[in-house]
Amino acid sequence: MEKDIDNTLRPIASAAIESPLPSSVMKALQAGNKIQAIKLLREQTGMSLKEAKDTVDAFEHRSTQEAPRLSPGEEPKSGKVFWWFAVFLIASGVSLFYFFK
């Protein structure tokens, strides 16, 4: 029975991911009004309540798995710079040790 449910939800979820939601639905989601977003989606597309809810849930699930949002001008943090700096310091220390020995 669970396999049947999963198979029926896959087309809905994939349709939600492939096609963008209407702008009014997106605005409602961005404002945190999930119920309003579902209502708007039903009105604009004629979907059933279950289809609209699954579509909004699939869109939310996909958007939460994306990279974290950054402020304008902010760059993603990377630990690579720290490690390169640490390697440089160690190499410099070893070089100076053997140079002054």
Side-chain angles (χ1 to χ4, degrees):
M1 174 116 178
E2 288 181 23
K3 290 180 182 178
D4 294 336
I5 293 172
D6 289 340
N7 289 336
T8 58
L9 294 180
R10 282 190 186 138
I12 296 169
S14 64
I17 291 171
E18 291 171 2
S19 64
L21 296 174
S23 62
S24 59
V25 175
M26 293 295 295
K27 288 178 185 175
L29 282 175
Q30 290 172 351
N33 297 326
K34 185 175 180 179
I35 294 172
Q36 184 65 26
I38 293 170
K39 286 180 182 179
L40 289 170
L41 187 60
R42 289 187 67 203
E43 290 172 2
Q44 294 177 12
T45 62
M47 288 183 177
S48 70
L49 177 61
K50 183 179 182 339
E51 289 173 331
K53 182 185 179 306
D54 291 342
T55 302
V56 169
D57 286 344
F59 182 81
E60 280 186 326
H61 180 70
R62 185 196 78 177
S63 63
T64 57
Q65 290 181 342
E66 293 176 355
R69 297 176 189 239
L70 302 174
S71 300
E74 184 180 3
E75 294 184 19
K77 296 178 183 176
S78 173
K80 292 180 183 178
V81 174
F82 172 77
W83 289 111
W84 280 111
F85 185 71
V87 169
F88 173 76
L89 285 178
I90 292 170
S92 298
V94 171
S95 299
L96 289 173
F97 174 78
Y98 284 111
F99 181 76
F100 288 112
K101 187 175 177 183

